[in-house]
């Protein structure tokens, strides 16, 4: 373990969580087993009493899973991590671990859709109150915190509007109220943003996205800062049962070896594309944390090591233009999800947010021509060429005063 103590982040991506194993493999073996043999009755009893270290049953712990958990805890500079079956399993386990009837949650408006649904449905039905705020404004958070607030939940940059929240200030307000700050760090990954260092108490990821990075696993993780919190979360996860399986843990552990170089390329490509889009005549506006036009550009620069690979932009021509572009792009693939090596594009108004209706979309800041691009690590010119030929096909009705 001390091997990874004083090495740089990109080296940690390669070496973190890798231990010495029987026969000397350089990667962790996949312990594809549901259960583990006890040597005798006393051994079993000692394991259950917690008087001896070891494995009992893979929902409660598995060496392949633990290797991956140790790696991600190191990358986030946390105490320990808990591998989950999906990002949503990580999020729901966190709410169950931290909240009970009568408690209050402050949540940013720009969160992953199912997180919003979970809070508005299951969590609210348990007698837990939720207030949604625009987390770009520190004062809105401060005003929303009440004596019974137990959790402030932030995603930054937020989905899909890419608004940026000031984690250091929000952490101060949260701790003054004796509440915990939970940050969904999926869009940045620990290569670009480490919320625990900025004062967060719990960090969550959908590892389905940048951490695994290869669009072949659904998984999540929770990173915590101290042993007591870890034990409490482990107990909660064991009861709820949303644990990750050894093979997926192995794949994620393999994926994070290239996290640092992948994120570097995601950022470089996205910066070039965002700047190109911003001067394109058929684009109304571009939201990208790496553009000076982003309303929280300065906070972003202080808080993250790079702007990430996600871009949101508005097409002149609205809903119809969105559908047209989706039907013409070839190199950029039409799919939800994000953070993989391949470029993905989606149009929320005709896809993920279609059933929400136009009015609700407007309220959530999801305009009709809004396109979300997850920039991959391909050659940037191939991505631009594809977008260019798609933009050529859209019709923009010039308004009278233009
Ligand atoms: C995808 C995503 C989730 C949910 O993760 P799953 O692995 O799909 O369950 C949560 N938060 C963010 C920001 C996401 O992008």
């Amino acid at each position: 373990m001390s091997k990874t103590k004083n090495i740089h982040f990109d080296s940690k991506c390669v070496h973190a969580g890798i231990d010495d194993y029987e026969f000397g493999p350089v990667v962790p073996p996949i312990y594809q087993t549901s259960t583990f043999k006890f040597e005798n009755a006393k051994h079993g009893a000692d394991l259950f009493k917690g008087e001896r270290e070891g494995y009992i049953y893979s929902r409660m712990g598995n060496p392949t899973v633990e290797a991956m958990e140790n790696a991600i805890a190191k990358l986030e500079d946390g105490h320990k991590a808990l591998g989950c079956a999906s990002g949503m399993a990580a999020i729901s386990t966190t709410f169950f671990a931290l909240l009970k009837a009568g408690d209050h949650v402050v949540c940013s408006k720009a969160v992953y859709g199912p997180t919003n649904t979970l809070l508005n449905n299951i969590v609210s039905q348990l007698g837990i109150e939720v207030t949604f705020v625009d987390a770009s404004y520190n004062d809105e958070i401060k005003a929303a915190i009440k004596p019974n607030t137990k959790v402030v939940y932030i995603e930054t940059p937020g989905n899909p509007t890419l608004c940026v929240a000031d984690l250091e200030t929000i952490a101060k307000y949260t701790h003054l109220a004796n509440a915990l700050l939970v940050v969904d760090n999926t869009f940045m990954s620990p290569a670009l943003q480490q919320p625990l260092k900025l004062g967060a108490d719990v960090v969550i990821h959908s590892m389905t996205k940048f951490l695994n990075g290869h669009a072949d696993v659904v998984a999540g993780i929770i990173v915590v800062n101290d042993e007591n919190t870890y034990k409490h979360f482990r107990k909660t996860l064991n009861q709820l049962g949303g644990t990750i399986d050894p093979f997926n843990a192995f794949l994620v552990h393999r994926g994070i070896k290239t996290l640092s170089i992948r994120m570097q390329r995601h950022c470089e490509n996205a910066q070039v594309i965002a700047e190109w889009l911003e001067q394109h005549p058929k684009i109304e506006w571009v939201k990208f944390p790496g553009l000076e036009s982003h309303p929280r550009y300065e906070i972003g620069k202080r808080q993250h090591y790079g702007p990430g690979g996600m871009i949101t932009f508005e097409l002149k021509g609205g809903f119809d233009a969105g559908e047209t572009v989706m039907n013409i792009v070839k190199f950029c693939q039409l799919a939800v999800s994000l953070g993989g090596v391949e470029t993905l594009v989606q149009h929320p108004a005709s896809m993920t947010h279609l059933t929400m209706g136009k009015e609700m979309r407007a309220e959530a800041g999801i305009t009709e021509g809004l396109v979300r691009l997850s920039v991959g690590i391909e050659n940037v010119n191939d991505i631009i060429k594809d977008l260019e030929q798609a933009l050529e096909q859209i019709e923009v009705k010039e308004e009278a005063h233009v």
Side-chain angles (χ1 to χ4, degrees):
M1 289 292 115
S2 55
K3 268 194 308 226
T4 57
K5 203 138 199 166
N6 290 312
I7 60 174
H8 294 93
F9 183 86
D10 37 7
S11 303
K12 272 189 199 168
C13 289
V14 178
H15 293 285
I18 311 287
D19 220 327
D20 294 326
Y21 309 98
E22 195 179 10
F23 308 121
V26 295
V27 297
I30 306 172
Y31 287 93
Q32 192 74 24
T33 181
S34 58
T35 194
F36 297 84
K37 278 194 287 190
F38 306 133
E39 289 156 19
N40 50 44
K42 182 168 186 321
H43 181 211
D46 287 349
L47 284 170
F48 273 101
K49 280 190 283 188
E51 286 173 4
R52 240 176 103 167
E53 296 226 343
Y55 300 96
I56 297 173
Y57 181 63
S58 281
R59 173 161 46 73
M60 301 158 73
N62 172 290
T64 313
V65 171
E66 213 175 280
M68 178 279 295
E69 291 171 334
N70 288 340
I72 295 186
K74 287 223 166 65
L75 298 186
E76 282 288 3
D77 236 342
H79 172 63
K80 278 184 185 168
L82 302 99
C84 299
S86 67
M88 287 314 297
I91 294 166
S92 55
T93 300
T94 299
F95 289 146
F96 273 102
L98 298 179
L99 297 165
K100 59 176 191 325
D103 289 345
H104 174 242
V105 183
V106 176
C107 180
S108 60
K109 271 183 198 162
V111 281
Y112 184 67
T115 304
N116 179 299
T117 312
L118 172 66
L119 285 167
N120 274 325
N121 290 273
I122 299 175
V123 171
S124 294
Q125 282 160 20
L126 297 172
I128 296 155
E129 201 194 341
V130 188
T131 305
F132 289 96
V133 295
D134 184 341
S136 305
Y137 299 96
N138 293 333
D139 288 348
E140 276 206 28
I141 307 247
K142 195 178 178 186
I145 293 174
K146 305 198 290 184
N148 62 336
T149 304
K150 291 287 153 55
V151 169
V152 174
Y153 186 95
I154 304 287
E155 200 177 298
T156 182
N159 184 43
T161 52
L162 299 180
C163 54
V164 168
D166 173 359
L167 291 177
E168 247 175 330
T169 307
I170 294 171
K172 277 186 203 132
Y173 293 154
T174 305
H175 295 151
L176 277 175
N178 282 325
L180 296 179
L181 176 60
V182 179
V183 176
D184 181 334
N185 200 27
T186 301
F187 271 33
M188 288 272 107
S189 92
L192 302 181
Q193 177 170 275
Q194 292 163 343
L196 296 175
K197 283 189 185 155
L198 299 164
D201 302 284
V202 177
V203 170
I204 286 168
H205 283 276
S206 167
M207 301 199 294
T208 314
K209 317 294 170 51
F210 289 105
L211 279 171
N212 178 58
H214 292 75
D216 50 11
V217 167
V218 172
I221 195 116
I222 305 165
V223 187
V224 296
N225 242 342
D226 63 273
E227 184 63 19
N228 281 343
T229 312
Y230 171 74
K231 280 190 176 139
H232 176 64
F233 270 71
R234 180 60 74 190
K235 227 189 291 174
T236 310
L237 180 59
N238 283 345
Q239 286 168 36
L240 292 172
T243 37
I244 191 171
D245 76 281
F247 186 63
N248 277 347
F250 171 85
L251 284 176
V252 172
H253 205 162
R254 185 171 77 154
I256 61 170
K257 286 170 202 254
T258 56
L259 179 69
S260 189
I261 54 169
R262 278 190 285 110
M263 294 317 295
Q264 195 180 335
R265 178 63 89 91
H266 283 298
C267 290
E268 285 166 10
N269 279 358
Q271 187 72 39
V272 171
I273 294 168
E275 286 172 13
W276 173 77
L277 284 168
E278 199 167 44
Q279 54 73 46
H280 198 286
K282 291 193 178 165
I283 302 297
E284 191 74 47
W285 50 255
V286 182
K287 267 280 188 70
F288 178 64
L291 291 176
E292 282 180 39
S293 59
H294 190 288
R296 294 290 176 272
Y297 175 72
E298 291 300 329
I299 290 172
K301 247 182 33 181
R302 213 168 57 219
Q303 180 162 289
H304 23 87
Y305 309 123
M310 300 301 297
I311 303 174
T312 296
F313 57 93
E314 176 76 12
L315 296 166
K316 287 183 183 167
F319 189 92
D320 294 345
E323 277 196 328
T324 305
V325 168
M326 293 307 109
N327 285 328
I328 296 172
V329 286
K330 286 192 205 75
F331 186 78
C332 303
Q333 301 178 79
L334 193 49
V336 296
S337 196
L338 57 107
V341 290
E342 55 285 286
T343 298
L344 300 180
V345 64
Q346 78 119 338
H347 176 226
S350 72
M351 295 173 181
T352 43
H353 297 71
L354 173 71
T355 56
M356 205 175 179
K358 195 172 171 173
E359 274 165 37
M360 289 277 284
R361 279 199 295 275
E363 210 167 294
I366 298 161
T367 41
E368 298 300 286
L370 187 149
V371 172
R372 195 186 76 178
L373 193 65
S374 172
V375 178
I377 64 165
E378 304 100 331
N379 186 299
V380 70
N381 295 317
D382 292 322
I383 306 169
I384 289 181
K385 191 171 152 197
D386 190 39
L387 292 172
E388 176 70 79
Q389 60 90 25
L391 290 176
E392 263 170 30
Q393 303 300 316
I394 64 174
E395 278 181 46
V396 180
K397 291 179 211 80
E398 295 293 337
E399 286 168 35
H401 65 271
V402 177

